[in-house]
Structures are given as structure tokens and as C-alpha cells.
Amino acid sequence: MADYLAHERKLTLKVVYYGPALSGKTTNLMQLHTLLRPQRKGELMVLETRDDRTLFFDVLPIGLRSENGLDLRLKLYTVPGQVQHDSTRKAVLSRADGVIFVADSQAAQQDNNANAFDNLADNLQKLGMDIEQLPLVVQFNKRDVPGAVDEDGLQARWRDTPWAPLCMASAISGQGVVESFRLLLERLYPALDREYQLADGEGIDAATFVRQLSMAEEGD
Amino acid sequence: MLGFEDDPQLIDLLPVERQQRLLQLLQALVTQPLSLHEHYRDDAEPVEFNLETLAWLHCPQQPQVQQAAARLLEFVLFYVGKYRLAANLHHDTTEASFAELQRQHAALQASEARYRELSAQLQARVDEQVQVIEQAQQQLYETARLRSIGQLAAGVAHEINNPIGFIASNLRVADDYLDELSAKLPADPACALLLKDFKDLLGESLSGTQRIAAIVTDLKTFSNIDQADFVPCDLNALIGTTCHLLQAESSQALHIELRLSEMPHLAGYPAKISQVFYNVLDNAVKALAGAGTIRVTSRLGGDGALEVIVEDNGCGIPAADLSRLFEPFFTTRPVGSGTGLGLSVARDTMTAHQGEILVHSRLGTGTRVTLRFLCH
């Protein structure tokens, strides 16, 4: 649920990286922090424990200012993937505007992917949101790992869901990370435009929205 | 209240005294006076946290140090904010978990209370059923006992009826023969004395057989041998004739006060109802032993029942005997003067008329018997 403060002309959005433990959510965020050159970018805040596991969340704020002075901010969060941190996961997921589900491509992790996806649907329902309506991108990470499950099979399996096509990524090398994020921005834009007239009122059309927020180092 | 993800103000991250302490340390480093401002200043450096500008740092003498000082301040605030965010989230999730726990606890308690109530209800129903079964068993036992007594009584009555009949008949014929015989015998005084004694013997025997016949009739009523269809009965008329009968049988004048009110006719066996009135009134007469009054009241009860109340101010019934009043063959009278069937017969007759018989008595004060016919 986007948060708009009229007197400050400030619109804050929330995107959550969800997924099973050790699927690379924090790595996605770190890569975005490295690769993105959006109009405004804050510090990446990582709250990990001693063994590098996320205990609470990570957050990366980015933003843009429209010519009309709209202060649009996007806070990118990760949730802790470990099963026992469900209440933290739920608190972070609360009021999310979009979700990137980071799945693990290793064959042995497919059950964990399914459980985490069920957990996502379950928590969204408890928070009063509908997974079918929420802008959601499914990313299969760790494509570089030997024995990763076949991409064609994955795409075929997800073809009839609202979340096709899937994004393939290798977050450790930064591959597919920005693409996944852009796909989410594209899916996020229509609902925002409907509610806040971004195109008509602020001069931010879909292409501008995606470009301004996801400009990458290479300059593409 | 601030959520964990709401953008904090400077004051949320650092209390005023800490801000000043930090500023003092920075001033010591840059050896220049520094100031923090809440509002935008063109000549000051913004201090940001997560894209949010928290304050403006101003160094009037040496603006070039502003930037480095502001970054140092941001660096400190970043770690303070990190802790603050984690702590807030921890607080939020702990509260949510606790609320969830309390909700589950309340649900569990409610469910436990429900089960406890259910268990109590079930126990109550079991107790109730046990009581019903015990009562039914008692009734069954009582019924079986009464039936066997009734069968015995019916058998005895039947067996005695015939011989007593011909004994009575023979005694009457023998009496006639004695009259004929006395005419043919010589009229000497010894013979006359013998004949008179013989006649008395026969007379006593005959009255004995009559008493036996009366007992047999009681037994038959008690064992329900004679069954006829219900006919409309005028209870007041039956009370009247029963009183006459008693008066006729009694050797002394009876004080019976009748307070009869208009009542609808009752469908029933008139002979048996008369028998009930007779048995109850006979007991009252015997309780008075010659002195006192009997009052008979008939009335329509509030619930539509026909009530006949027989009261006497006689000797009353000892409390110990009250519970045995309706037991067949229970009697306190000397052997030969009562069968102990009077009230059992009365109760059976009342039951047959869907009625009831209630006895209240106080020793030395009197007795009240209430006959209630519930159906008419």
C-alpha cells in the first residue's frame, strides 16, 4: 500500500524480496545497490547476524523527483528466509506494493521454493492482500549452479500463472538482477498510475518510471 | 505510533543532549562552531538518512568543512538508525506474536470452558438417566410384587367363593331343618336349651360365612377381577348412598357433615368408586370411635380435577405408619376386624380413574384424605 503525504508531495512505495532461506535475496539487493544509478539512492542497510543470515531485513531506499516536485521513493526490503522468522516476514511484507519472489534453481530446493511461495500467499492473505492482484515477479536465482533445474521446464510449468514469464538470474554475478527489478517496476506502474495519475499529473509515464528508478551503471 | 518503517525524525534517532554532545565532538575536531537546523538553509549542508533530510548542518566560519562533518554525522546516524529499525521491528513482531498468543490462549480457554460445560451437562444427563432407571426398576419391582399378590388374592377368592357359598346355603337349610326338628322333639327344658344353643351356633356360623364372603369381595375388587365399562357417575349421589350404608351398619349415630358442591359427572366404575368412599369413610368412623365429626367435601378443583375430601378429628395416624398405608394387608387393627386391603383397593381404583389419593394426618388431631379425579 503506497504511502502518500500530500503536504510533502512524498509518495513512498515498498517492494519486498521474498523467498526461501539462502535463495539470494540479500545478494539481489547488494547487486542493485552496486549496479543501479537511479536519480536518488540511499545507503544499503544490511541487518545480518554473525553467520551472514538475515535476522530482520535489509533495506535499500531509492527515489526520483518529478518535474512537478513529486518526491517518489521506493524502499526495497528483503525478508529473513528462515522458516522460524515468520512473524518478522509478515511484518516486513505488510503494506507491500510489489513482491519479487527469489526462488532457488537447485533441484534439491524445489520443495523449499514451493513452501516459501505458499507461505507468501498465506501471509498476504493474513495481511488482507490477494496474491493474484499484487504486482509480483518470480525470479529463479542461482542459474550458475551446476544441476540447476531446466529453464524451459520452469517456464512451461509457470506459463498459466499470472506471473509468467519467469526471470532467470545469477545474482552472485549480477546477472538478471536489474532485469527482474525492471519487470517488477513495469508490473507495479499501472496500479500506481491509476491511483496517483503519474502520467497525467506528474509527467511520469511507464518508461520514465522504469528508467529513472533502474538506470544501471552501463548506462542502458 | 511510529511503525518500524516510518521515516524517523532526528529526535527519534538522537535525543537533544546526544545531538549536542555529538556536535561538541565535531566542533572539537573542526575547531569551528557548528550548528544544526531543523529547516532548510541555503548555506547549510543537508544531513540525510534513507533519502530523508533530517537536518541542516551549518558552519558559518568555514563552509568547506560542512560537507565532511555532515557525512560523518550521517555515518553515525546510519548505525543509530539501523539499530532503531531493528529494535522497532523486533518490538512490532513481538507484540504481534504476543497478541496472537493471547488470542489463541483465549480461544483455548473458551474451548476448554465449552468442554467443561458439555461434560457437566453430560454428567447431569447420566445422573438423570440413572435416576430414571432406578425409579423404573423400583416401579417394576413394585408392580411385579402387587401383581403376584393380586394373583394370589384372585386365586384364594375364587377357591373360597364356592365352598363358602355352599357352606352358607347349607347353614341356612340346616337352620330350616332345625326348625322342623324342634317341632317334632318333645318339649322338655333340656331339649329346648340344646336347640336354642344349636340355633345360636348356626347363626354365628352364618354371620361368619358372611364376613368371609365380604372379605372375598374385597379381594376380588383388589385383584380387579370384575371389569365393566365406564359409565357416568354422580359422585355426590355415590357419597350419599355410601353414608347411608355406613349409618345403617353402625351401631351408634354418626356425625357426618356433607358439604357437596355441584360437579360434572365422572366416567368410571360406580361400584368401585363407592367402594373407595366406603373404605375411606369406614376408616374415618373407626378413627372417631364414637366421638367426633366427619366432614365430606366435594368440589371442582382449580385444575379441573374433581375432589372429594374426607376429614375427621379422630385419633390420627402415627407417622411411622403413613408410609405403609397403601401396602396390601397392612393393618393396625386386631386380627379379624380388617383385611388391610381398604386403602390399597382405594388407591388402585383411583389409579384406574386417572386419579390420586392423598393422606394427611396428625396423631391425636385427625386425618384428611383427598381423592382427586383428574379426568372427567
Side-chain angles (χ1 to χ4, degrees):
Chain A
M1 174 102 27
D3 188 18
Y4 181 62
L5 296 173
H7 62 283
E8 292 183 34
R9 300 268 294 130
K10 184 169 132 188
L11 177 62
T12 309
L13 307 174
K14 181 175 180 181
V15 169
V16 175
Y17 280 76
Y18 211 91
L22 294 172
S23 66
K25 301 174 289 295
T26 303
T27 313
N28 258 275
L29 216 57
M30 286 169 145
Q31 287 294 355
L32 282 180
H33 183 239
T34 313
L35 297 173
L36 288 188
R37 288 289 175 272
Q39 205 183 15
R40 305 180 70 202
K41 183 167 74 168
E43 286 302 310
L44 172 66
M45 194 178 276
V46 179
L47 291 88
E48 79 279 270
T49 52
R50 212 182 327 181
D51 54 357
D52 283 352
R53 304 295 294 267
T54 304
L55 181 59
F56 293 109
F57 58 86
D58 310 313
V59 61
L60 173 65
I62 60 175
L64 65 83
R65 272 187 200 281
S66 79
E67 285 165 9
N68 296 358
L70 177 72
D71 178 1
L72 190 150
R73 297 184 195 179
L74 197 58
K75 288 185 182 171
L76 307 177
Y77 284 90
T78 63
V79 296
Q82 287 170 285
V83 177
Q84 68 267 33
H85 297 314
D86 194 48
S87 49
T88 307
R89 234 181 343 264
K90 199 159 72 181
V92 175
L93 187 62
S94 150
R95 297 161 59 84
D97 297 287
V99 169
I100 294 180
F101 184 83
V102 182
D104 193 322
S105 291
Q106 298 175 90
Q109 295 298 319
Q110 298 313 300
D111 278 354
N112 286 342
N113 289 340
N115 289 341
F117 199 79
D118 283 348
N119 176 257
L120 170 63
D122 198 32
N123 277 338
L124 283 173
Q125 199 201 350
K126 282 181 191 158
L127 293 164
M129 294 186 270
D130 181 3
I131 194 167
E132 307 265 338
Q133 305 298 323
L134 187 74
L136 173 66
V137 166
V138 177
Q139 177 198 82
F140 268 79
N141 191 21
K142 304 195 189 177
R143 300 307 301 166
D144 53 301
V145 171
V149 288
D150 175 48
E151 181 182 347
D152 292 343
L154 287 174
Q155 294 285 13
R157 199 182 309 153
W158 286 77
R159 191 184 307 135
D160 295 330
T161 68
W163 309 296
L166 304 174
C167 279
M168 295 296 141
S170 183
I172 196 96
S173 60
Q175 234 181 321
V177 171
V178 176
E179 289 76 2
S180 306
F181 180 55
R182 282 181 183 152
L183 184 58
L184 182 80
L185 291 176
E186 283 164 20
R187 291 182 183 174
L188 183 59
Y189 182 78
L192 286 177
D193 187 39
R194 262 198 307 281
E195 192 165 351
Y196 300 104
Q197 286 82 41
L198 293 185
D200 297 343
E202 310 293 344
I204 306 173
D205 62 12
T208 313
F209 179 75
V210 174
R211 185 162 28 86
Q212 297 257 30
L213 286 172
S214 68
M215 262 189 286
E217 204 164 34
E218 307 84 27
D220 59 352
Chain B
M1 191 199 132
L2 274 180
F4 83 92
E5 54 194 328
D6 290 337
D7 288 324
Q9 303 286 308
L10 183 58
I11 195 89
D12 298 324
L13 295 176
L14 280 182
V16 176
E17 62 270 25
R18 294 281 166 96
Q19 288 177 28
Q20 277 161 2
R21 178 90 183 111
L22 195 56
L23 214 55
Q24 277 169 8
L25 290 170
L26 278 172
Q27 284 178 138
L29 282 175
V30 303
T31 61
Q32 294 293 338
L34 290 169
S35 58
L36 269 178
H37 301 274
E38 266 185 59
H39 300 290
Y40 174 77
R41 273 183 77 122
D42 194 30
D43 54 351
E45 180 69 19
V47 179
E48 287 195 353
F49 174 80
N50 276 0
L51 302 183
E52 187 77 13
T53 306
L54 298 181
W56 279 264
L57 188 71
H58 187 45
C59 183
Q61 261 98 52
Q62 230 177 329
Q64 63 273 23
V65 306
Q66 275 181 181
Q67 207 180 349
R71 295 297 85 78
L72 187 57
L73 204 54
E74 281 176 358
F75 192 75
V76 172
L77 288 176
F78 181 76
Y79 283 94
V80 171
K82 199 162 145 170
Y83 167 75
R84 177 60 53 205
L85 277 171
N88 286 349
L89 177 66
H90 179 67
H91 176 263
D92 285 4
T93 54
T94 307
E95 282 216 323
S97 303
F98 185 65
E100 172 69 10
L101 206 64
Q102 275 187 320
R103 196 190 57 72
Q104 285 177 351
H105 180 67
L108 206 64
Q109 275 188 325
S111 141
E112 194 193 330
R114 235 182 0 256
Y115 277 110
R116 205 180 296 125
E117 196 186 335
L118 190 68
S119 144
Q121 278 174 1
L122 285 176
Q123 186 58 49
R125 273 175 60 184
V126 166
D127 290 349
E128 206 175 288
Q129 290 296 315
V130 165
Q131 212 182 353
V132 167
I133 290 168
E134 276 176 356
Q135 217 163 22
Q137 247 174 356
Q138 183 64 33
Q139 275 173 0
L140 209 61
Y141 169 72
E142 195 83 356
T143 312
R145 200 167 68 99
L146 284 177
R147 196 187 301 125
S148 61
I149 293 169
Q151 277 168 350
L152 178 70
V156 170
H158 182 75
E159 291 303 321
I160 289 175
N161 225 11
N162 282 338
I164 211 67
F166 65 73
I167 289 172
S169 158
N170 288 356
L171 283 173
R172 258 180 239 110
V173 173
D175 193 51
D176 289 350
Y177 286 172
L178 193 63
D179 288 345
E180 284 175 32
L181 208 59
S182 66
K184 288 175 181 160
L185 285 175
D188 65 81
C191 196
L193 200 65
L194 205 62
L195 278 172
K196 187 187 176 297
D197 204 20
F198 198 174
K199 208 168 173 57
D200 286 349
L201 286 178
L202 284 178
E204 277 172 28
S205 301
L206 202 57
S207 81
T209 57
Q210 276 159 2
R211 241 171 61 202
I212 292 172
I215 291 169
V216 167
T217 310
D218 273 357
L219 282 175
K220 278 166 120 180
T221 312
F222 168 73
S223 56
N224 276 335
I225 287 171
D226 307 316
Q227 286 285 359
D229 284 337
F230 275 19
V231 293
C233 312
D234 180 354
L235 292 184
N236 288 340
L238 295 179
I239 292 167
T241 51
T242 307
C243 289
H244 292 150
L245 189 64
L246 268 171
Q247 194 76 62
E249 282 188 2
S250 174
S251 49
Q252 46 206 314
L254 299 174
H255 300 286
I256 301 181
E257 185 190 334
L258 293 178
R259 292 185 176 182
L260 308 180
S261 10
E262 199 67 28
M263 287 204 298
H265 285 193
L266 175 88
Y269 304 115
K272 291 198 175 182
I273 295 172
S274 297
Q275 183 75 56
V276 172
F277 292 157
Y278 181 89
N279 292 354
V280 173
L281 280 165
D282 187 45
N283 283 340
V285 169
K286 285 180 176 139
L288 291 178
T293 314
I294 298 170
R295 187 161 67 201
V296 183
T297 313
S298 73
R299 66 180 185 203
L300 194 57
D303 53 356
L306 304 183
E307 293 181 347
V308 175
I309 300 154
V310 178
E311 292 160 299
D312 67 70
N313 53 3
C315 60
I317 304 164
D321 292 341
L322 275 173
S323 62
R324 303 187 64 193
L325 284 182
F326 298 105
E327 214 173 276
F329 303 112
F330 173 75
T331 181
T332 55
R333 306 211 172 101
V335 175
S337 52
T339 55
L341 287 173
L343 285 178
S344 341
V345 168
R347 189 185 59 176
D348 287 351
T349 303
M350 291 309 290
T351 307
H353 289 82
Q354 297 185 335
E356 57 185 353
I357 175 167
L358 308 166
V359 180
H360 295 278
S361 185
R362 187 176 293 168
L363 198 61
T365 306
T367 302
R368 182 174 71 227
V369 180
T370 309
L371 303 163
R372 285 167 51 80
F373 298 87
L374 301 176
C375 166
H376 58 270

